Amino acid sequence: MKKVFFSIFSFLLILAVIAIFYLSTFGYETNRFNDTITKIIKQNDKNIDINFEKVKISLEIKNLSIFVKLTKPKLYYFETLIP
């Protein structure tokens, strides 16, 4: 019985270490959060419009924080493109 618990615990620990390593080095790209981020920006300022392709989520271990990076963002303020 102890071997079963030890093997399950060690498997989950190794899986967690691999996931943290992957998120801290490569990150996770998705387009699932595009609408949510756009809605939050619109709520803060109705004159801002932003378009982007994907969201990259990465983990910084030193500060224990999550970073969100936007790929190819186009920011419009009063319908004027801001580089």
Side-chain angles (χ1 to χ4, degrees), residues 15-75:
L15 188 66
V17 168
I18 290 172
I20 290 172
F21 176 75
Y22 181 79
L23 285 175
S24 64
T25 56
F26 302 112
Y28 178 69
E29 285 189 10
T30 184
N31 56 4
R32 182 180 289 175
F33 301 115
N34 290 1
D35 294 331
T36 306
I37 293 172
T38 305
K39 286 179 186 177
I40 291 172
I41 292 173
K42 280 288 199 186
Q43 285 177 356
N44 290 332
D45 191 357
K46 296 187 188 302
N47 299 322
I48 295 177
D49 188 28
I50 188 164
N51 297 325
F52 49 91
E53 287 184 9
K54 291 185 180 181
V55 176
K56 184 174 182 180
I57 301 171
S58 60
L59 178 69
E60 186 174 325
I61 298 173
K62 292 180 183 177
N63 297 335
L64 292 176
S65 59
I66 297 173
F67 286 103
V68 177
K69 299 176 186 176
L70 306 176
T71 58
K72 297 182 182 177
K74 293 182 181 177
L75 182 65

